[in-house]
Amino acid sequence: MEGRSLLRFLFLLLSVVVLLVITWVRLPHAPLSTASLLDCTLYSGWCSSKNRLQATPHLLQNPQHHTRRNHDADVPHHPLDPLTVRELNDVRAILSSHPRFKSSYALHSVVLDEPDKPLVLRWKKGDPLLPRKASVIALVDGRSHVLTVDLTSKRVTRHEISSSSGYPVMTIDDMTTATVAPLADANFNRTIIERGIDLADLACLPISSGWFGKAEEKRRIIKVQCYSMKDTANFYMRPIEGLTVLLDMDTKEVVEISDQGRNVPIPKAGNTDYRYSAMEPNREMKLLNPISIEQPKGPSFTIEDGHWVKWANWEFHLKPDPRSGVIVSRAMIRDPETGNPRNVMYKGLTSELFVPYMDPTDAWYFKTYMDAGEYGFGLQAMPLDPLNDCPRNAYYMDGVFAAADGMPYVRSNMVCVFERYAGDIGWRHSESPITGMGIREVRPKVTLVVRMAASVANYDYIVDWEFQTDGLIRVKVGLSGILMVKGTPYENMNQVNKEDNLYGTLLSENVIGVIHDHYVTFYLDMDVDGPDNSFVKVDLRRQMTAAGESPRTSYLKATRHVAKTEKDAQIQLKLYEPSEFHVVNPSKLTRVGNPVGYKVVPGGTAANLMDHEDPPQKRGAFTNNQIWVTPYNRSEQWAGGSFVYQSQGEDTLAVWSDRDRAIENKDIVAWYTLGFHHIPCQEDFPIMPTVSASFDLKPVNFFESNPILRIPPNVEADLPVCKPAASA
């Protein structure tokens, strides 16, 4: 017993030391140069995300794949360029002299306060840069403060206190300290040791609590659950089932410990490691030969001034964002007839991710994550791995963000841009020999991809914005990573009674993969040939022929319905009542009189089946429909609301849309939700193969004819000569 007491004392002492170090890190420091910036993903000794505090992995084994950029001298060139290191340091200095920031505070968001849309639309390269402002969200004395900092006058020009029920995105400090704080509680340590787990093998996750009643109001709370990482890197597969710590995120006080799973064994570590270095070679599997797309003349795209992308007939602004991941703005395509750029989309981004787990038991009911509004989708972006995440000749872009104390830090290699050719066909036609014409015309399809990947604890999300020369934009989401699993006494399905509800699938001995959903909602501010657009629903319905009219008895008829108000544009997809969904400019007509437009082409998606009165679904009500259309309002960008953490659902896309505002021939925003139902299977263990879904934004009467008609075919003489190594 004396040994155990000594062990507990040592870990309590260690916890206090760690907390003191973290507190020191949060204290104000002098502004940093890029040479000393905290790069939380590559260069610091410790990193944190939604997962536990953990040592930095060996990401620099191939240093030639990463050239660290110096951001000291970065200056903005475009009105939408993100805040630079110098500007973030200026914001920090300005706030330090503000009366409200003399005591303890935390900055939860410091991003560019984008200029008004009409000003950006009128701005041309060479014009004076529009005034630079920062939008700041801070927590001071438990209340959310919203500020605008004018970087020209060096003063705060707006200061409001939010009345929202929710709190802002958690900071990295919030997540890190939440995982360490339970170690300062003797009851928690005793519980872990009684479970037979060495505290040195402990890994913990900070889990957002959602909102389930008034008992959770007026303080920021978080739940912490832990795992054993003994003998495996994949600690997610070794849950300490039923142990949940309720923590006050501001005081770091343990409010409650729920321990209801002592009869559930911790799953074994065997066969859970997914690292290549830990694999036994499979001599029965033939390895693939290396594959790479060679570009001896280099890529065809350019990135001007760090953020303006030009490729083929496309150009657009691109920037990393701590909440949405990446933002694509001012997307324009050149008309093949006139050569003039034409507006397609003013702004596109990942607005929110809603991930509810389908287990109502005590240790699981609250797992209903909002990964953008609670954790920061961009804050969870990890460095992309050259040659594996992105191919050769990819361009990498860093994110420069502000920490809780305002100090800038770098998310290295957060976004990549590359050209993709997978042997796809842009268009083709071959004449049958019976015509005697001998025509065979084929064009290859080369596309441009903007990619980011966020590792939100166990799950990895890959988001691609893919631009095609025919004007199509494809938005694709890939899901990979590791399941969040539940411990169970069962080792085989023959032990499970019919009346037992596993809430998922038995994946391995003592491991259940819990059923869950993923919904990814995108904000799409379409400006098709200008800001004033309309939403048109084109319904396809069976039409019966009249008696004697035709040998046919039925055909399909397309009927156009222009949405007058928001409720007219709330769309739930129906397989047997098909429709097309067009965003058109009624004032711009083609040569033959059709309004120019783009259509939202749904891909694989899922409908949310949860009860609308279920507390998580009230917060995630933006997933009740697959498509929404709202009038443009710069304050309505986040589908779950501006302040999502512990929100009650009073400020969501569903609430805004129910105002039923006019949307005909207005500046409008379309919203689309990709959905996934995930019933786990054994192939998902111990790590999941990527599953993907996408939707398209496709021109519809936008061009007078095929816009890639004049693209030349590939010719052998234009291509590099590459020989296999065996014949070289």
Side-chain angles (χ1 to χ4, degrees), residues 304-371:
E304 299 178 356
D305 299 326
H307 295 280
W308 191 257
V309 182
K310 288 186 175 181
W311 174 78
N313 47 358
W314 280 103
E315 53 186 279
F316 55 89
H317 188 272
L318 176 66
K319 68 179 173 185
D321 182 79
R323 182 161 177 172
S324 69
V326 293
I327 298 177
V328 176
S329 302
R330 298 292 283 119
M332 296 180 283
I333 190 167
R334 290 193 177 273
D335 190 281
E337 305 297 329
T338 67
N340 296 326
R342 298 172 63 186
N343 291 312
V344 174
M345 182 176 69
Y346 181 76
K347 190 176 187 179
L349 53 87
T350 306
S351 181
E352 190 54 88
L353 298 91
F354 179 38
V355 188
Y357 281 77
M358 303 302 167
D359 184 336
T361 59
D362 181 71
W364 281 81
Y365 73 89
F366 52 86
K367 295 181 181 180
T368 54
Y369 306 108
M370 300 276 196
D371 284 335

Side-chain angles (χ1 to χ4, degrees), residues 392-618:
R392 282 182 175 173
N393 289 318
Y395 173 93
Y396 293 88
M397 185 178 292
D398 297 342
V400 179
F401 302 147
D405 62 358
M407 292 169 59
Y409 68 92
V410 177
R411 283 291 193 196
S412 297
N413 286 17
M414 178 179 162
V415 180
C416 73
V417 183
F418 61 91
E419 288 170 293
R420 173 156 57 199
Y421 174 59
D424 293 328
I425 297 169
W427 64 265
R428 81 176 314 276
H429 180 64
S430 294
E431 277 294 339
S432 169
I434 64 173
T435 67
M437 299 176 69
I439 294 175
R440 185 175 64 191
E441 291 281 331
V442 187
R443 301 294 184 270
K445 177 182 283 189
V446 179
T447 64
L448 184 77
V449 178
V450 173
R451 172 171 294 167
M452 63 85 63
S455 299
V456 192
N458 53 308
Y459 254 100
D460 288 61
Y461 295 87
I462 306 105
V463 178
D464 286 355
W465 290 80
E466 183 173 8
F467 295 81
Q468 302 187 9
T469 53
D470 61 2
L472 183 142
I473 303 173
R474 175 162 293 159
V475 185
K476 181 179 178 181
V477 175
L479 307 181
S480 189
I482 302 170
L483 289 171
M484 181 165 283
V485 302
K486 179 176 183 173
T488 177
Y490 299 125
E491 294 187 347
N492 192 286
M493 285 300 295
N494 61 19
Q495 300 171 315
V496 181
N497 298 318
K498 287 184 178 180
E499 61 272 15
D500 292 340
N501 192 340
L502 299 184
Y503 304 107
T505 305
L506 188 66
L507 303 177
S508 185
E509 291 81 0
N510 308 119
V511 177
I512 291 172
V514 176
I515 295 169
H516 57 282
D517 287 345
H518 300 264
Y519 300 100
V520 188
T521 298
F522 289 88
Y523 170 99
L524 307 162
D525 181 3
M526 303 299 292
D527 275 12
V528 181
D529 260 351
D532 292 339
N533 292 173
S534 293
F535 181 75
V536 181
K537 185 168 175 274
V538 184
D539 294 328
L540 274 175
R541 298 292 182 266
R542 180 196 303 134
Q543 186 78 16
M544 305 302 292
T545 58
E549 178 185 357
S550 170
R552 293 277 299 275
T553 60
S554 66
Y555 61 96
L556 295 185
K557 181 180 180 181
T559 306
R560 296 167 56 88
H561 302 278
V562 179
K564 304 292 185 183
T565 66
E566 290 174 276
K567 288 187 178 180
D568 295 337
Q570 295 178 0
I571 305 297
Q572 293 183 343
L573 300 175
K574 300 175 183 177
L575 183 62
Y576 283 94
E577 293 181 16
S579 301
E580 287 194 354
F581 311 102
H582 297 187
V583 177
V584 305
N585 188 326
S587 64
K588 300 289 180 67
L589 306 179
T590 65
R591 185 180 67 252
V592 297
N594 291 311
V596 301
Y598 260 70
K599 62 181 176 181
V600 179
V601 184
T605 190
N608 194 316
L609 305 179
M610 291 170 62
D611 178 13
H612 286 195
E613 295 305 309
D614 196 346
Q617 191 56 31
K618 286 184 178 180

